[in-house]
Amino acid sequence: MSSLKSAVSRTLDRIGYVWLWVAISLVLLAFVVPLNPAKAGAYLWAVSKIAAGGALGYGFDWAYFRGGDPAGLEGIERSMAQARRATIVAAAIIGVGLIG
């Protein structure tokens, strides 16, 4: 069991945890679509809005804070840049989520 856990952990570290959530989301969608096919379109609309919001938020942060990439900073500056980026991306996602 321990080797399986470490193998899954290594795989997730390599491909990223976001893909795990994508896979879970698609599995849940596969359960919902046979029950109500109209939900597939609503799901795709919601996912596209959220993805666009994330991309816009990241783009806004990149455009407004040139040279403020958290990967290039150290210490408290890095922490503050990460918090700033997360706040901007979250605000953009909430903003597009409010669009009908």
Side-chain angles (χ1 to χ4, degrees):
M1 186 66 167
S2 177
S3 62
L4 176 64
K5 183 179 175 185
S6 64
V8 169
S9 178
R10 279 194 312 272
T11 302
L12 289 175
D13 286 341
R14 191 180 72 241
I15 65 171
Y17 286 91
V18 171
W19 294 107
L20 174 64
W21 289 107
V22 169
I24 291 170
S25 177
L26 292 175
V27 166
L28 292 174
L29 180 64
F31 284 118
V32 170
V33 168
L35 299 174
N36 189 353
K39 292 293 182 187
Y43 173 82
L44 293 174
W45 170 244
V47 168
S48 67
K49 285 192 321 181
I50 291 170
L56 284 171
Y58 182 84
F60 292 154
D61 180 72
W62 180 80
Y64 292 139
F65 298 101
R66 296 275 182 143
D69 186 26
L73 301 173
E74 295 293 327
I76 190 72
E77 291 87 7
R78 182 180 187 144
S79 175
M80 296 305 292
Q82 288 172 335
R84 180 202 71 229
R85 179 168 286 172
T87 303
I88 292 172
V89 169
I93 290 173
I94 291 169
V96 298
L98 294 174
I99 297 172

